[in-house]
Amino acid sequence: MFISLLFLSCLFAFVLPLFSRRVEAIGVLALTGASALFLSALALGVPALFVAPSVSPDGLWYLDPFAAILVIIIGFVQWTATMVSVPYLRTEVSHGAIGKKRVREYYALVTFFVLSMFAAVLSNNLGLMWVALEATTLATTLLVSFYAKEASLEAAWKYLLLCSVGISLGLLGVFLTAYAAATSGLTGVAGISFANLLSVAATLPPEVMRIAFVFILVGFGTKVGLVPMHAWLPDAHGRTPSPVSGLLSGVLLNVALFALIRYKVLVDGALGGSRWSDGLFLAFGALSFIVPAAFILVQKNYKRLLAYSSIEHMGFVVFSFGLGVPGMIVGTMHLIGHALTKSMLFFAAGNTLLHFKTTKIANVKGVLQALPITGGFFLAGILAILAVPPSPLFVSEFRLVGAALSAEPWYLAGMLLAGAVIFAGFIRLLMPMLFQRSSEQPASRERLNLSHAAMALHLVAIIAFGIFFLTPAGESFITNIIKSL
Amino acid sequence: MSFILPLFVFSLSIPLVVAVVAVGVGNRSWGNILVQLLMIFGGVTGFIASTLFLFGGGDSSIVSGLLSFPAPLDAWFAIDTLRAFFLLFVYAGMMLTSLYSLGYLPKYRGVYSLPALNAALALFVFGMGATIMSASIFSFLLFWKVMSVSAYFLVIADRSAESLSAGFSYFLMTHIGFVSLLAGFLLLSGGNVFASFLSIAASAAGLSSFVRATAFFLLFIGFGSKAGLVPLHQWLPYAHPQAPSNASALMSGVMLKVALFGFIQSLFLFSEIPLWWSCVVMAVGLVSAFFGVLHAAVESDVKRLLAWSSIENMGLLFSALGGIGIIGSLPLGLGAQPLIGALAFFVALHAVNHFLFKSGLFMAAGAVVSETHTRDLDQLGGLAQKWPLFSAAFLALSLAASALPPFGAFYGEWAYLQTLVAAIGSGITALAVPAGVALSLISLISGLAIFTFAKAFSSIFLGRARTNHAENVGHLHWALVTPVVLTAVASLATGLVAVPLGSLIAGATSTGDWSASLAPLPRASINPLVVLLIVMLTLTLAFVASRIFGAPRIRRTDTWDCGQPLTRRMEYTATGFAAPIRFFFKSIVLAEKRMTATPIIASNPWIASRSLEWKVSSFWERALYEPLGKLMLRVADVIKHLQSGVVQFYLLLVFATLVVVMSTAL
Amino acid sequence: MMNFSLPFLLVLIAGSMLMLSFVLASRMRLLSLLRFFALQSILLAAYAGTLSFVRAEWNLLVMAGLIVVLKGVIIPRFLMRVARESGASQRLESYARPTTLLFCSGIVSILSFIAAGALTSVVGSGYFITAVSFSLLSVGFLMLVSRKDLFGQIIGFLVMENGIFTFGLALTGGLALLIEVGILFDVVVGFALMTILLNWVQKQHASARTDLLRELTD
């Protein structure tokens, strides 16, 4: 019932901004819609966190605690992203960077994007999940190219082409899974229903599932941004309007990863005790963690730097999911922490971009001086992403070393080394940007607006989760989420 | 004394409260006073708690030297004598620097954001205290991180490009150190994140020798990088001086002791320590002490000089720990006990003394800089006439730092040297060789240390002022002078009570089995009071003799100046003073002098102006840091070719990945 | 009679699609490229239609109809119109010459046949049709990699999609109508977006060469 409410809210949020032509009014309407959406996501997600997985009566939707936590995250970040979008678009329109007409287009696309993420996370039907995942790419392409400048067109083209090709390969995996189901006696729609597949996972032909998983891993992995299929990610995340970058980096990557994990559960079931898929996760995770370090160390553009950091964090999560149950706990904690932190960082980067009109690190000086509030959140976000307590990432980093030290010491050694390089890159590049004094006195004091409220909400959530994960209750909460997988 | 436990919790929580208060009061002028008074109050309570604990053997809540906390806190905190001893540094440092900040910080209202700085300071102190009190590796590393990160903000407090770059190297090294500690502790605990130190000590014995050695050296790297041991020291002489002086005092005086504490505590986690581990520790310690003091001797920046000297002192402390390990791993039987006791005596006493004279000197340097606006020794001079009491305190601290009698540092080093002599005489090769090497190096090091502080004191206080700023200094605020005088007096006092102090803190190591009693070797034990008496007697005799035999006739005349007027530019500078040292060690201390002469016009050799560029860089910078940095950047540039911008290449990568992954499936 | 000849027909259609993919890989003029693509899509539709008779799954007929309309007619025409209106050159560009491309497509298709051999030992689909679909996939991929303009890449992507569809049809004979329509819808929207981007690029640079899109490199 709550699922229908969720999709109705999507429709509501989609339609509402169409009622006005004034930028201000559209913002208010969009925010109303987003708030309704957030509330219905809470209504759906929160109760589901603590109960066993359930399939909707029509067989189309599957809700387990893991999906529920993602629903909540999507709901929350889309809400805050809309809060950030309102002042962001207002400023861009007043600067003449975009036309007034495009504001409605923006909100419509964002809502459609959010809708497809919800559908991808909730669908029981793997075909529908594929359709929804591809729909996320389609919805965001026009957002990537939103500024219609040369570089954003280039980014959009690469994004669309690589993700479409990747997800098409994933489709082969879906077909093969359906085929495997057919050999286990599930045909038609039943053959691609996740709940059904899960119940017969042990009888699925392992050879077929293996091949299917290869296509899924490479295909969906492209959307997750795993190295070496990641090339589109820094381009796209760096060029999109910042609130959407926050959604892309903080949420969409997790949604794609979630789809990947769904299939991993199936293939692990089919392969019995084999750790084949774990090995792939470890290798891709470590590679995705290590390679971005080089790009972060010598980065010139702060939004791209954040984007590379997202690749690295996805690598972290994927790696942890290759480590069995203790790793999955780490991965889930990290996923939650990263989603909240990275989107906040992109919001702060957005305000910085609006003020300094450039994403080049070398041209930005004294963010804390010019934008004390945004700068403060930026700083807090950087510290949180660098796993300074009380960030949830501190807990997950700590636990990852504990989980991987004896199991995968060599991978871990490489990752810790790369971690130091990433750390160096962040501090070397971003701290001077924030702290250095610039000779120009800011023309006016930074005024509080909705975006600051959004970042404050994120910060509160980050600290709350950081402290919560330290407690035994936090651990059992996450364990409960993992158990349903 | 059941109030001792709440007292610990209370004093630990005060800095946390202060952090909030500091932000709350904002830039109001009484805000700083309130904050510092609260900090002093917290320091006093903590100091009392620790002292009571060290004395309170009869307390029923203390079971075999360990104070256990009630249920939710016991997973986080514990107190034993070792911890209580090191907490003394934190709380004493907190009192002294907060007192100092009352006068110091208001002068820098325009440079630092006081609310942010005070909050960072409070968090820093909290982090140090909580790290020491931690009972499990999780809480230890958590608070270690809190301490390290807040220290970063202290380093970059003035937001200059120089500070940011110093902060960068500090933060990076801190991260590397943190990760080493994390890996080291988790190796010992077998991946158990929440293991307590007590349980690790029990479980680590079952690990293979390779794992234990890896863990040991990871821990050594972790704590050594924080303590500034060579070759992981490079950040320290840049970072410590960049912080405001009250923070520098805490960083050099206290944070380094936290690293020392961490290492000592880790030593207890190993049931046995092979000889070669200890040899490595001792060698690294000695090399660090040597490099530290050498750079201190040639340094012209007063705060950086002090930072280099911290490296020297930490090196000595670690070398003594290595010495303890060496003795412990040799089959000496009962003969080992006094040697170990004597070295532990040195460690404890020198830790106390280094804390006192180094934080005192940093605060004193801060006071000088706040009036003269320069850290360059070549720009100072002549302050003795302006501030007699202050300069007497500085002189006392310098003598303490040079380990001269009758100051406490002397008794510590004396015990160390006597132990080395005894070790050489023991006739056991494995003991005599390292002891011999150590003895010769330490003689060199102490000589250079005396040179260093003679240079520091004379350049700042003697002669005539070399610049107008130094000439026209004002009156020093009482809050700037008091803590400096206090530390000077305390340095002297530790000398007078050195031996009783040794037995007093004997309990500090009673949880381990290396030492039952801390005391210098019998023949090394000099009665400090006798020494003081001798010193005073000699001085009096000299004074009387000069009165009786010396000509009391005073002739006042100009200094002979060859007919040229004497200017302050002719004075002997600190840089010039250190020239012989630079010459002797020129292959290690790399000095670059570049003279640029600008002619009036290109065709005319007539010189319009000259400028001198002067830079002293270290051997490790050239041999290790710069090549490593370049290598990293080059590797990054190679990897960057992945992002070629060619979409066809990206697609090719996707398909190549598909083929490779498929090959694992078929 | 019918039951005997229908599988043969399937093989015939698949074979023709394979041949057409070679042609597609090596053609350099936009118009002929689009024509051959339309032809290949219609063959795909015919394949789906024939399959629906073989397996008596009538929803495949709907799919076949949709494929003819969308991929056989609308997509090629639309792309042609965009090219004409934006004044794009008919002559397309590639990293290699047509003969080389033909040779390469032969190679990748041989490799696909080998790979299909390994796969059909696991998956019970027909060897030939699996091999053909893999060939289409890899030839489409070859086009994506070798073409130096957006038109060629779009068509390459569509050829790849044809291969995936063929494989899906051969393997499962259809998931569920709704899902398949959804998939087709996604492909069409993806194509539409690609065309929009192509149009903008063409307008901004008066060319649709991919080497204009090489700025984002750090």
Side-chain angles (χ1 to χ4, degrees):
Chain A
M1 187 200 76
F2 282 123
I3 289 182
S4 352
L5 180 68
L6 184 70
F7 289 123
L8 273 178
S9 316
C10 279
L11 187 69
F12 179 64
F14 187 81
V15 172
L16 214 51
L18 302 180
F19 281 109
S20 177
R21 288 182 184 282
R22 290 191 310 114
V23 177
E24 295 289 330
I26 294 174
V28 172
L29 292 174
L31 194 58
T32 316
S35 311
L37 198 47
F38 175 49
L39 288 178
S40 46
L42 278 183
L44 177 67
V46 172
L49 281 174
F50 305 101
V51 295
S54 63
V55 183
S56 71
D58 54 5
L60 219 47
W61 311 109
Y62 181 82
L63 182 59
D64 60 359
F66 199 49
I69 191 83
L70 275 173
V71 166
I72 296 171
I73 290 176
I74 299 169
F76 178 68
V77 180
Q78 66 85 26
W79 182 50
T80 54
T82 312
M83 286 165 79
V84 178
S85 298
V86 172
Y88 186 90
L89 289 176
R90 193 202 304 136
T91 318
E92 286 295 62
V93 168
S94 70
H95 287 170
I98 50 169
K100 277 186 186 176
K101 282 185 201 157
R102 308 207 49 204
V103 174
R104 282 202 298 194
E105 179 191 326
Y106 174 94
Y107 286 117
L109 285 169
V110 168
T111 314
F112 182 61
F113 169 43
V114 171
L115 166 72
S116 37
M117 286 199 287
F118 277 129
V121 168
L122 289 170
S123 55
N124 181 32
N125 185 313
L126 296 179
L128 180 64
M129 180 193 264
W130 184 90
V131 171
L133 263 185
E134 171 70 359
T136 60
T137 314
L138 303 176
T140 45
T141 300
L142 287 179
L143 288 168
V144 175
S145 67
F146 195 69
Y147 286 114
K149 289 187 205 146
E150 287 168 24
S152 31
L153 286 185
E154 176 183 345
W157 175 255
K158 287 173 180 168
Y159 174 52
L160 181 59
L161 197 61
L162 272 159
C163 285
S164 297
V165 166
I167 206 112
S168 302
L169 293 176
L171 186 56
L172 283 177
V174 179
F175 286 145
L176 281 164
T177 310
Y179 170 78
T183 58
S184 299
L186 294 174
T187 50
V189 182
I192 49 171
S193 142
F194 178 73
N196 292 347
L197 279 165
L198 196 60
S199 60
V200 298
T203 68
L204 293 172
E207 294 300 314
V208 182
M209 282 311 289
R210 242 188 240 232
I211 295 168
F213 188 68
V214 170
F215 283 114
I216 294 285
L217 178 63
V218 175
F220 290 6
T222 310
K223 280 225 73 160
V224 181
L226 296 181
V227 175
M229 295 90 79
H230 69 285
W232 60 272
L233 193 149
D235 298 355
H237 291 201
R239 287 288 151 184
T240 317
S242 299
V244 183
S245 302
L247 274 171
L248 286 176
S249 259
V251 189
L252 178 58
L253 299 180
N254 294 330
V255 171
L257 180 64
F258 170 81
L260 192 55
I261 290 170
R262 280 275 196 252
Y263 281 92
K264 182 174 184 290
V265 173
L266 292 180
V267 73
D268 283 348
L271 293 181
S274 160
R275 292 200 60 218
W276 173 76
S277 69
D278 285 346
L280 287 175
F281 263 48
L282 291 175
F284 272 105
L287 195 64
S288 308
F289 190 89
I290 291 167
V291 170
F295 291 90
I296 289 175
L297 185 66
V298 290
Q299 191 50 251
K300 297 190 181 71
N301 178 318
Y302 57 86
K303 277 184 82 180
R304 283 175 80 85
L305 188 143
L306 296 178
Y308 278 111
S309 150
S310 294
I311 301 178
E312 164 242 322
H313 283 280
M314 282 297 126
F316 184 109
V317 177
V318 167
F319 183 83
S320 347
F321 270 90
L323 284 170
V325 175
M328 285 154 88
I329 294 176
V330 178
T332 312
M333 286 180 173
H334 197 86
L335 185 147
I336 296 170
H338 174 248
L340 294 169
T341 314
K342 189 51 67 60
S343 33
M344 173 172 135
L345 275 170
F346 267 112
F347 298 161
N351 281 357
T352 311
L353 172 60
L354 284 182
H355 184 269
F356 289 91
K357 312 227 168 30
T358 175
T359 51
K360 285 226 167 62
I361 293 169
N363 297 346
V364 178
K365 222 183 219 182
V367 176
L368 273 168
Q369 193 182 346
L371 307 168
I373 310 166
T374 301
F377 286 118
F378 211 152
L379 179 64
I382 292 171
L383 292 179
I385 208 84
L386 292 177
V388 169
S391 159
L393 305 187
F394 175 77
V395 188
S396 57
E397 180 188 284
F398 200 95
R399 280 169 167 272
L400 179 82
V401 177
L405 198 59
S406 51
E408 304 290 341
W410 299 115
Y411 274 132
L412 187 70
M415 286 170 70
L416 292 180
L417 213 63
V421 175
I422 291 164
F423 196 89
F426 263 91
I427 300 295
R428 188 173 78 99
L429 298 169
L430 294 188
M431 287 302 184
M433 195 176 104
L434 290 181
F435 279 97
Q436 220 159 51
R437 288 170 209 268
S438 86
S439 46
E440 301 165 30
Q441 280 299 314
S444 60
R445 281 186 56 145
E446 186 184 21
R447 275 195 295 178
L448 273 175
N449 62 30
L450 265 178
S451 71
H452 301 124
M455 288 187 274
L457 283 169
H458 273 257
L459 191 59
V460 168
I462 289 167
I463 294 173
F465 272 111
I467 293 170
F468 181 52
F469 288 162
L470 282 175
T471 61
E475 186 173 348
S476 65
F477 173 76
I478 296 292
T479 316
N480 181 45
I481 290 177
I482 296 304
K483 242 189 298 178
S484 69
L485 285 177
Chain B
M1 286 202 290
S2 55
F3 59 86
I4 196 163
L5 196 147
L7 202 59
F8 271 116
V9 177
F10 178 71
S11 53
L12 186 66
S13 60
I14 282 189
L16 271 186
V17 176
V18 171
V20 179
V21 171
V23 176
V25 295
N27 256 326
R28 294 180 186 88
S29 56
W30 51 266
N32 183 49
I33 300 175
L34 175 67
V35 164
Q36 305 309 343
L37 288 180
L38 274 174
M39 287 292 270
I40 293 172
F41 174 63
V44 170
T45 52
F47 198 83
I48 291 174
S50 311
T51 318
L52 283 180
F53 183 87
L54 286 174
F55 280 110
D59 187 350
S60 62
S61 56
I62 304 169
V63 186
S64 64
L66 189 81
L67 179 65
S68 55
F69 282 70
L73 283 177
D74 65 341
W76 292 75
F77 298 119
I79 295 283
D80 56 17
T81 34
L82 185 68
R83 290 187 172 99
F85 176 61
F86 276 94
L87 279 176
L88 285 177
F89 297 108
V90 176
Y91 290 119
M94 188 167 158
M95 288 189 282
L96 288 169
T97 56
S98 302
L99 178 60
Y100 178 78
S101 304
L102 277 175
Y104 180 75
L105 286 183
K107 290 187 169 190
Y108 286 94
R109 218 169 261 287
V111 181
Y112 305 122
S113 153
L114 289 201
L117 181 64
N118 274 328
L121 268 168
L123 278 179
F124 178 55
V125 171
F126 167 76
M128 293 193 292
T131 305
I132 291 175
M133 283 173 69
S134 290
S136 68
I137 52 176
F138 185 80
S139 55
F140 184 88
L141 289 169
L142 181 94
F143 295 125
W144 178 271
K145 192 111 185 178
V146 170
M147 165 184 92
S148 308
V149 173
S150 36
Y152 169 75
F153 290 103
L154 298 176
V155 174
I156 64 164
D158 70 357
R159 301 186 182 190
S160 66
E162 201 184 354
S163 297
L164 282 162
S165 120
F168 164 68
S169 45
Y170 161 72
F171 215 177
L172 179 58
M173 196 52 80
T174 284
H175 178 78
I176 292 171
F178 175 80
V179 170
S180 308
L181 292 182
L182 179 61
F185 279 132
L186 286 174
L187 269 181
L188 286 180
S189 75
N192 180 3
V193 186
F194 295 106
S196 74
F197 286 114
L198 283 176
S199 67
I200 293 179
S203 68
L207 297 167
S208 77
S209 61
F210 174 73
V211 173
R212 274 185 297 141
T214 316
F216 179 82
F217 284 104
L218 282 171
L219 293 175
F220 184 47
I221 290 172
F223 291 119
S225 68
K226 180 62 76 183
L229 297 189
V230 168
L232 301 176
H233 66 293
Q234 200 61 48
W235 60 274
L236 195 149
Y238 293 101
H240 283 196
Q242 277 317 119
S245 292
N246 51 347
S248 309
L250 280 174
M251 289 167 88
S252 260
V254 184
M255 184 165 74
L256 298 182
K257 303 301 175 301
V258 177
L260 183 71
F261 161 79
F263 189 65
I264 293 177
Q265 192 195 34
S266 319
L267 290 177
F268 290 118
L269 301 180
F270 296 90
S271 50
E272 55 162 339
I273 295 177
L275 181 63
W276 68 277
W277 296 4
S278 309
C279 286
V280 172
V281 172
M282 184 161 199
V284 169
L286 287 173
V287 170
S288 308
F290 173 65
F291 271 94
V293 77
L294 189 58
H295 277 279
V298 302
E299 185 61 65
S300 298
D301 177 323
V302 54
K303 286 182 77 179
R304 200 169 288 165
L305 179 147
L306 295 175
W308 280 113
S309 148
S310 291
I311 295 180
E312 173 222 328
N313 286 292
M314 292 314 286
L316 285 180
L317 287 167
F318 272 79
S319 74
L321 289 177
I324 291 174
I326 291 177
I327 296 166
S329 62
L330 290 172
L332 292 176
L334 283 177
Q337 220 36 263
L339 294 177
I340 290 176
L343 284 182
F345 172 76
F346 163 71
V347 172
L349 190 61
H350 198 70
V352 171
N353 275 301
H354 179 245
F355 159 71
L356 287 173
F357 69 70
K358 193 49 60 68
S359 45
L361 283 170
F362 259 117
M363 287 188 283
V368 169
V369 174
S370 74
E371 281 296 320
T372 60
H373 308 289
T374 178
R375 281 169 21 191
D376 190 350
L377 288 176
D378 296 346
Q379 313 269 324
L380 295 165
L383 294 180
Q385 295 151 22
K386 308 273 161 89
W387 304 331
L389 174 65
F390 181 78
S391 46
F394 195 100
L395 177 63
L397 291 168
S398 299
L399 291 175
S402 319
L404 290 174
F407 292 92
F410 165 75
Y411 295 101
E413 283 202 20
W414 182 250
Y416 191 9
L417 290 174
Q418 284 299 322
T419 315
L420 291 175
V421 172
I424 294 170
S426 69
I428 302 168
T429 326
L431 191 58
V433 172
V437 175
L439 186 64
S440 50
L441 263 173
I442 290 173
S443 342
L444 175 63
I445 289 164
S446 351
L448 284 170
I450 294 172
F451 178 89
T452 303
F453 285 98
K455 182 183 78 170
F457 177 75
S458 55
S459 319
I460 300 175
F461 292 98
L462 303 183
R464 286 169 62 188
R466 292 182 180 84
T467 53
N468 288 336
H469 267 313
E471 184 96 56
N472 305 322
V473 290
H475 183 68
L476 272 184
H477 193 280
W478 63 269
L480 295 179
V481 182
T482 316
V484 178
V485 173
L486 278 177
T487 49
V489 171
S491 295
L492 190 62
T494 53
L496 299 181
V497 295
V499 179
L501 193 71
S503 55
L504 186 139
I505 52 188
T509 47
S510 63
T511 43
D513 40 41
W514 0 283
S515 166
S517 65
L518 292 172
L521 294 180
R523 62 175 153 160
S525 58
I526 312 167
N527 190 339
L529 288 171
V530 176
V531 175
L532 185 71
L533 220 61
I534 293 172
V535 171
M536 289 175 74
L537 211 64
T538 318
L539 287 176
T540 322
L541 277 176
F543 182 72
V544 171
S546 74
R547 281 280 147 165
I548 297 170
F549 303 110
R553 211 154 45 84
I554 297 171
R555 189 169 65 103
R556 289 191 187 275
T557 169
D558 285 342
T559 313
W560 186 55
D561 54 9
C562 290
Q564 293 243 344
L566 284 175
T567 69
R568 54 192 182 193
R569 286 176 60 96
M570 291 173 180
E571 276 185 284
Y572 202 12
T573 60
T575 310
F577 192 66
I581 305 288
R582 281 200 304 277
F583 176 74
F584 279 125
F585 297 101
K586 67 178 172 192
S587 52
I588 302 174
V589 181
L590 308 156
E592 258 179 71
K593 184 155 68 174
R594 197 181 303 139
M595 182 84 91
T596 348
T598 326
I600 291 181
I601 46 170
S603 56
N604 192 332
W606 200 264
I607 302 302
S609 68
R610 283 180 202 275
S611 67
L612 178 74
E613 270 182 64
W614 175 249
K615 188 180 169 234
V616 179
S617 59
S618 88
F619 166 76
W620 299 99
E621 259 176 309
R622 292 276 178 90
L624 186 67
Y625 287 85
E626 285 172 15
L628 203 64
K630 276 187 192 144
L631 179 75
M632 292 298 260
L633 291 179
R634 198 167 305 152
V635 169
D637 276 338
V638 171
I639 296 180
K640 272 187 76 177
H641 287 299
L642 266 183
Q643 201 78 7
S644 60
V646 182
V647 70
Q648 287 88 348
F649 173 67
Y650 298 164
L651 288 161
L652 202 59
L653 275 178
V654 172
F655 277 82
T657 314
L658 181 67
V659 170
V660 170
V661 179
M662 190 59 89
S663 70
T664 71
L666 288 175
Chain C
M1 186 68 190
M2 191 105 167
N3 284 341
F4 173 69
S5 61
L6 278 181
F8 179 69
L9 192 60
L10 283 177
V11 170
L12 201 65
I13 294 172
S16 318
M17 282 165 73
L18 180 62
M19 290 301 135
L20 273 179
S21 71
F22 294 155
V23 177
L24 278 165
S26 58
R27 283 283 145 167
M28 283 297 147
R29 287 190 69 77
L30 181 59
L31 186 62
S32 67
L33 206 57
L34 287 173
R35 283 197 181 135
F36 282 113
F37 171 72
L39 192 56
Q40 194 189 45
S41 301
I42 291 167
L43 281 174
L44 176 65
Y47 180 79
T50 318
L51 207 62
S52 76
F53 282 105
V54 174
R55 298 196 182 153
E57 286 181 26
W58 305 112
N59 60 7
L60 284 179
L61 272 181
V62 182
M63 278 301 290
L66 278 173
I67 290 172
V68 169
V69 174
L70 289 172
K71 285 187 145 179
V73 181
I74 293 180
I75 286 181
R77 292 208 166 198
F78 185 63
L79 204 54
M80 199 60 226
R81 213 175 114 183
V82 167
R84 203 173 294 140
E85 283 182 0
S86 63
S89 159
Q90 277 288 313
R91 170 101 198 134
L92 301 181
E93 290 193 49
S94 156
Y95 280 105
R97 282 176 302 178
T99 44
T100 320
L101 287 175
L102 197 59
F103 179 73
C104 287
S105 52
I107 300 267
V108 295
S109 115
I110 288 170
L111 291 176
S112 305
F113 270 72
I114 295 170
L119 193 69
T120 35
S121 64
V122 179
V123 181
S125 60
Y127 168 66
F128 185 69
I129 190 67
T130 312
V132 167
S133 60
F134 270 47
S135 296
L136 289 187
L137 186 80
S138 43
V139 169
F141 166 64
L142 182 70
M143 288 181 74
L144 277 170
V145 172
S146 67
R147 297 293 176 146
K148 281 173 83 172
D149 55 73
L150 304 191
F151 287 103
Q153 288 201 315
I154 292 181
I155 297 170
F157 173 70
L158 291 169
V159 170
M160 205 182 112
E161 283 284 350
N162 276 355
I164 290 171
F165 262 78
T166 317
F167 183 73
L169 290 172
L171 203 60
T172 63
L175 301 168
L177 187 62
L178 197 68
I179 300 304
E180 279 171 12
V181 172
I183 292 169
L184 200 63
F185 171 77
D186 273 356
V187 172
V188 170
V189 176
F191 162 78
L193 286 172
M194 284 179 188
T195 317
I196 291 172
L197 291 177
L198 180 151
N199 201 12
W200 284 347
V201 172
Q202 175 79 37
K203 275 184 184 154
Q204 282 199 348
H205 298 278
S207 160
R209 281 184 297 130
T210 52
D211 36 353
L212 295 166
L213 304 180
R214 286 180 57 178
E215 296 299 311
L216 299 170
T217 54
D218 56 280

